[in-house]
């Protein structure tokens, strides 16, 4: 773990009366006062850099650089980010398991203990991308489809089962459970992790662009390629350029009849216009507090569509309610809430509390029922204007998003 170079390893009290240890951001803020006004997402990344500072892969200079993050600095430095876990979908996960098996084979051929090849963080492989549907519209469709799936891919599932037995930190979620992002949100995310008595926040990379759905419950994470995911599995930092953070101030409440889909199309249209590619987007304000976790997760899921690295929602009471409603244990929820409160990370920030690179505003009351544009989700069309918009686009040239028809 850490060498505690900044003397930030402190104790905190759990709601149950127990105690734990953490690398304290408030303690770090006494040396770097700027930390108090950092975006929540940057502070969670900073905690990882601080905790994993070993003087080699991650140095004190890395901690100081991120602790002194400024909203509009020139971005030239990379952040070494060690994630808490990795999520794989099956198309990319099976080749990564094959890589681990090959490494064990090489270790054995060299006369070394193959067990030394082991993921250093928890890895979950969710089987969902490759599943085929042959039967439908009948009560036994699930059973018949599952039977065919295991018959067709018996060797593949035998290999996955071997991986679960061979690696202590490798788990497989079988087909028929759900889509990887929903499984990650409802089941895999634990809020906080504990290792050697030290608590730290959940974070991850996943081998799917829509991994960002997990940002809806205050977890820092995004999609990466297979090589980066494998590096993360083996305990290596994921390097990324220090980002700008765009704050989105949500005001008011959604009108009756407006859905999360209407809201996310409006946000996607707005953020595409603002060019947020390569940036973190963080939501704050009273409107953000009014949104339930499923609505937040819907917005976070669309980060690839509006181009951001993340669409992040801080942890608050709505997040705790969601954890309670999805079967997390009382002990897990206690550790989750107590940790975030001790770090000063609990609650959706109000306007003026955080320094963002840019601040955008959206009144939720202005959101109207909408459809995704005929070609791209950012080309939102209000329901009342569908007919006139289609008639207009029908003859417009393709360069102007039309169909070029007479």
């Amino acid at each position: 773990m850490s060498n505690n170079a900044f003397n930030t390893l402190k104790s905190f009290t759990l709601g149950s009366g127990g105690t734990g240890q953490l690398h304290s951001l408030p303690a770090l803020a006494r040396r770097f006062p700027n930390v108090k006004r950092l975006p929540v997402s940057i502070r969670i990344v900073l905690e990882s850099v601080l905790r994993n500072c070993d003087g080699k892969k991650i140095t004190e200079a890395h901690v100081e650089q991120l602790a002194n993050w400024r909203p509009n600095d020139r971005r030239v430095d990379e952040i070494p980010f060690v994630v808490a876990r990795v999520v794989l979908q099956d198309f990319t996960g099976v080749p990564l398991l094959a890589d681990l098996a090959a490494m064990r084979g090489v270790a054995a051929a060299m006369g070394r203990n193959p067990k030394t090849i082991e993921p250093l963080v928890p890895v979950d492989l969710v089987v969902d991308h490759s599943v085929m549907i042959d039967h439908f519209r009948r009560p036994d469709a699930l059973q018949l489809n599952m039977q065919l799936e295991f018959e067709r891919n018996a060797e593949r599932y035998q290999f996955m089962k071997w991986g679960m037995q061979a690696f202590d930190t490798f788990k497989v979620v079988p087909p028929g459970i759900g889509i990887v992002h929903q499984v990650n949100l409802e089941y895999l995310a634990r809020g906080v992790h504990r290792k050697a008595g030290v608590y730290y926040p959940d974070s991850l990379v996943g081998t799917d662009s829509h991994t960002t759905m997990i940002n809806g419950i205050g977890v820092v994470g995004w999609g990466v390629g297979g090589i980066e995911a494998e590096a993360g599995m083996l305990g290596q930092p994921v390097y990324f350029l220090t980002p700008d953070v765009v704050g989105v101030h949500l005001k008011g409440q959604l009108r009756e009849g407006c859905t999360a889909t209407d809201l996310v199309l409006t946000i996607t249209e707005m953020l595409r216009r603002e060019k947020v590619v390569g940036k973190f987007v963080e939501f704050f304000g009273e409107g953000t507090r009014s949104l339930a976790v499923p609505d937040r997760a819907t917005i976070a899921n669309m980060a690839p569509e509006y181009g951001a690295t993340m669409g992040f929602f801080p942890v608050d009471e709505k997040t705790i309610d969601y954890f309670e409603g999805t079967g997390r244990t009382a002990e897990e929820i206690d550790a989750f809430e107590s940790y975030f409160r001790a770090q000063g990370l609990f609650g959706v920030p109000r306007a003026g509390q955080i320094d963002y690179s840019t601040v955008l505003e959206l009144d939720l009351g202005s959101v109207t029922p909408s459809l995704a544009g005929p070609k791209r989700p950012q080309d939102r069309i209000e329901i009342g204007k569908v007919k006139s918009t289609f008639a207009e686009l029908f003859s417009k040239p393709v360069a102007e998003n039309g169909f070029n028809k007479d």
Side-chain angles (χ1 to χ4, degrees):
M1 293 293 278
S2 167
N3 61 7
N4 197 25
F6 292 86
N7 192 31
T8 55
L9 188 60
K10 307 293 182 184
S11 294
F12 74 104
T13 303
L14 298 164
S16 62
T19 59
Q21 288 190 307
L22 52 72
H23 280 273
S24 172
L25 293 175
L28 186 68
R30 287 194 281 272
R31 178 167 174 179
F32 302 101
N34 184 57
V35 168
K36 295 178 182 178
R37 294 191 61 83
L38 292 180
V40 177
S41 52
I42 291 290
R43 276 184 273 170
I44 291 175
V45 174
L46 174 60
E47 187 280 338
S48 173
V49 176
L50 175 65
R51 173 170 38 89
N52 291 286
C53 178
D54 58 4
K56 298 175 183 177
K57 290 181 293 188
I58 301 178
T59 66
E60 293 180 29
H62 288 124
V63 178
E64 293 178 12
Q65 166 213 322
L66 193 54
N68 288 313
W69 181 90
R70 292 288 184 269
N72 295 295
D73 271 357
R74 184 164 169 262
R75 307 302 182 195
V76 294
D77 297 314
E78 287 194 325
I79 299 171
F81 181 40
V82 177
V83 295
R85 60 188 177 95
V86 174
V87 172
L88 310 172
Q89 45 92 348
D90 43 326
F91 274 143
T92 50
V94 171
L96 295 187
L97 178 58
D99 283 352
L100 293 175
M103 283 188 263
R104 281 204 167 180
V106 171
M110 294 174 65
R112 304 289 181 87
N113 179 9
K115 283 289 287 181
T116 57
I117 305 298
E118 179 80 35
L120 295 181
V121 299
V123 179
D124 295 288
L125 190 160
V126 182
V127 181
D128 71 333
H129 277 49
S130 63
V131 175
M132 296 176 63
I133 301 299
D134 293 86
H135 299 278
F136 52 92
R137 295 180 65 184
R138 50 187 294 177
D140 58 349
L142 175 60
Q143 179 184 346
L144 292 172
N145 283 318
M146 292 286 286
Q147 184 177 339
L148 275 172
E149 175 68 20
F150 286 116
E151 287 175 0
R152 285 171 174 157
N153 299 295
E155 186 176 6
R156 191 169 185 248
Y157 288 110
Q158 287 170 359
F159 181 50
M160 291 184 199
K161 187 173 182 180
W162 169 83
M164 289 183 68
Q165 295 169 339
F167 299 100
D168 295 334
T169 53
F170 181 84
K171 300 291 184 289
V172 175
V173 178
I177 301 300
I179 296 170
V180 56
H181 313 304
Q182 203 68 35
V183 171
N184 191 20
L185 193 74
E186 294 182 5
Y187 175 70
L188 299 178
R190 311 324 296 171
V192 291
H193 297 258
R194 183 184 178 190
K195 186 175 181 180
V198 177
Y199 288 82
Y200 53 98
D202 193 11
S203 62
L204 70 143
V205 289
T207 55
D208 187 287
S209 60
H210 290 276
T211 298
T212 53
M213 189 172 186
I214 203 67
N215 304 156
I217 55 171
V219 175
V220 167
W222 54 84
V224 296
I227 296 299
E228 286 179 288
E230 190 162 354
M233 288 164 57
L234 298 175
Q236 296 299 307
V238 175
Y239 289 90
F240 65 99
L241 190 67
T242 305
D244 285 350
V245 182
V246 177
V248 178
H249 183 193
L250 299 181
K251 298 180 176 180
Q253 290 188 327
L254 285 173
R255 292 184 293 172
E256 187 175 351
C258 289
T259 68
T261 301
D262 302 320
L263 175 57
V264 77
L265 289 174
T266 303
I267 288 174
T268 300
E269 179 186 39
M270 178 178 74
L271 293 178
R272 289 287 293 198
R273 189 167 55 242
E274 293 295 329
K275 296 180 173 55
V276 297
V277 173
K279 301 177 182 180
F280 286 5
V281 171
E282 184 169 306
F283 296 88
F284 70 98
E286 66 277 11
T288 301
R289 286 193 291 274
S290 74
L291 296 176
V293 163
D295 295 345
R296 298 178 185 186
T298 301
I299 297 166
N301 182 277
M302 289 287 279
E305 278 66 41
Y306 47 79
T309 303
M310 287 200 302
F312 183 82
F313 288 82
V315 172
D316 67 352
E317 291 83 2
K318 293 284 179 69
T319 320
I320 300 302
D321 291 344
Y322 182 79
F323 269 53
E324 291 173 345
T326 49
R328 270 70 168 198
T329 67
E331 183 181 358
E332 288 173 331
I333 294 170
D334 178 24
F336 180 35
E337 182 173 359
S338 298
Y339 176 88
F340 272 77
R341 287 190 182 278
Q343 290 282 40
L345 298 171
F346 191 89
V348 175
R350 291 179 171 83
Q353 289 185 324
I354 301 293
D355 294 328
Y356 293 109
S357 305
T358 308
V359 173
L360 307 174
E361 291 189 352
L362 175 65
D363 183 354
L364 296 183
S366 69
V367 174
T368 58
S370 308
L371 289 177
K375 296 183 179 180
R376 305 174 303 181
Q378 65 265 30
D379 299 322
R380 182 182 65 90
I381 304 172
E382 291 185 20
I383 290 291
K385 298 178 180 178
V386 171
K387 182 178 179 179
S388 60
T389 303
F390 180 78
E392 182 182 331
L393 292 176
F394 189 77
S395 58
K396 268 192 172 183
V398 174
E400 296 178 29
N401 200 35
F403 295 93
N404 199 29
K405 302 292 183 181
D406 295 328

